[in-house]
Amino acid sequence: MKTALSFEWIERHYNSIKSSAILMIILSIPAVYGLVYLTGGANAYSHSMYAPILFAGFVFGIKGGVIVGVIAGVTLGPFMPIDTVTMEPQQAVNWIYRSGFFVIIGFLSGAASDSTRRYMKHVKWLTQHDAVSGLSNRSALIDSLKTLKHGRHTKGAGTLAVISIENVLELETAFGPDVTGEAVMQLATGIGGLLGDKAEVYRISTYHIAVLFFVKEQGIESLHTLLEEEFRRPVSFKGIPLHADIRVGYADVSKPRQEPGQYLREAETALRAASERTHPWVVFGPELDSTSARENLELLGELMEAVNRKQLALHYQPKVSLSSGAVLGVEALMRWTHPKLGNVPPGKFIPRAEQSTLIDMLTEWAIDTALAQLVEWKKSGIVLSVAVNISTRNLLQPDFAVKVLKLLDRHKVKGASLELEVTEWALMKDLRYASANMAQLTNAGIFFSIDDFGTGYASLQYLKDFPASSIKIDQVFIRRICERKRPELIVASSVDLAHGLEMEAVAEGVEDIASYKLLCGLGCDIAQGYFISRPAPAPEFAEWYKKSGGMFKA
């Protein structure tokens, strides 16, 4: 920052510096001439001439230093006597020798000055450009956005797009790190060629580029339609056509009402939303307001403290056999009572925690707490299994299975009493990398179930390979099962599929007796939902269980 400021100061005052330098040189040469003449001749104080020569070289570079060196040589040369009293002339070799030194000193000082200026220009260039691609960088983008804020841009206002190559890790794994730079350059070149002077392209990170559009009458959707074909075009790397999976976040910068960095944050927020959805582009809107994002990050920052201060708790919801009404087990659901915010919905902190290392801590705490509760219930005659939701991030942790087995051993609980629920979407994404942990856990008798079944992209191949004992049909189908024919058909097909794969079918979100009875008729095995019981703290669940005798009657 200080370097950039010094560059700007020098540039702003350079003309003044040059003018001052010219004046000083003009005055200093005759002053030195007069000093030498008054003190007795060319051999006395001639070294004082080096000052204007050095100064000229530093200010004007090689040309300036050499020219002033020649002028100085002539000034103290053939017209300056060796003795001003006798007017005895100098020997030619003396003033030629002195003039040569003047020119050399002027050249060297000018060369040093030119080299320094080139370096300063390069450093300044680096502060505004990406060194690899040569594209303008994040700092340059902020400067451009500042001109928009102050209404100084001549091209009109428009839209900021932040573009990401989502499959960059896959590309680099297969072809090496150079493929990213090549893909970014081809993408930037294609966009620049398509939009011409209507857009400015920036490289703001390794695999993110930003485009500032200056189109007055064209909406974001029209712009994306224009760019869509370019995004679908394969990139070429060493003659091989490769697919780049592009996501885009847009922010409207037509109203210069904010700090420049805010526009960029909005576009990056929209990009993150696009990365999490199947839609390739998202426009920033109120629903993506960074205020809520900051709140979520603040909540995540408090999660560790919440565990230590026992603000987190597990509530338990019974799972009932549809054929007998027996309570077979419970699902442990996490609840957070915040000292200031009150009850924080799980959907507000768990999905975000799953994207960070915090999910490892939360999952370990949940399994530990659930197993401890099973032990307590067993002492009072309540013998059940417990299901805990886990993330595939947990399964990808090399020592996850070891940690779970240690918890079972610590609480002296058999593996058959624990069930781990994994969502269908996450399962499809990371199954092959988690197989070692799953095999170790399955061998210990632990059950797996596929949660939210029907909302992902499951294939029979994945279902066949995954060591699950049950599939949980998503509640979005169960809640509409009595209203429409299609949800009923989907549930019936899911039940048949589960039985065909020798699994149990579990219906979650059962909220009324009609749905309960229809599920019985469809041959579904297990049900859970508000109709049976809401999730309750451990003491309340124990009271409900004892009161019902471990049986549910519809």
Side-chain angles (χ1 to χ4, degrees), residues 29 77 149 239-240 289 382 418 480 532:
I29 289 178
K149 179 188 176 186
I240 304 171
D289 188 357
I382 301 175
L418 178 62
R480 299 177 181 176
I532 300 167

Side-chain angles (χ1 to χ4, degrees), residues 1-2 4 19 38-39 56 111 120 161 190 204 236 272 315 353 370 404 407 478 486 528:
M1 188 68 180
K2 290 182 179 179
S19 300
L38 292 173
T39 53
M120 290 173 68
I204 59 174
S236 177
R272 282 192 293 273
H315 286 198
V404 174
L407 289 174
I478 305 301
R486 284 188 177 181
Q528 69 178 95

Side-chain angles (χ1 to χ4, degrees), residues 374-439:
L374 288 187
V375 174
E376 290 298 314
W377 281 338
K378 188 175 182 180
K379 292 177 181 178
S380 61
I382 301 175
V383 180
L384 296 170
S385 64
V386 64
V388 178
N389 290 278
I390 65 170
S391 166
T392 47
R393 191 182 185 100
N394 300 134
L395 289 173
L396 294 173
Q397 206 181 351
D399 59 346
F400 177 68
V402 174
K403 288 182 178 180
V404 174
L405 296 180
K406 284 183 178 179
L407 289 174
L408 287 171
D409 185 62
R410 180 196 302 171
H411 295 288
K412 308 301 181 187
V413 175
K414 293 183 179 179
S417 297
L418 178 62
E419 182 179 354
L420 301 177
E421 296 188 2
V422 188
T423 61
E424 178 191 4
W425 180 85
L427 166 66
M428 300 308 109
K429 186 178 178 183
D430 294 312
L431 172 61
R432 56 181 173 169
Y433 303 109
S435 56
N437 268 324
M438 290 189 293

Side-chain angles (χ1 to χ4, degrees), residues 14 26 37 188 204 208 236 433 448 554:
Y14 187 61
I26 290 173
Y37 193 90
I204 59 174
H208 288 164
S236 177
Y433 303 109
F448 281 93

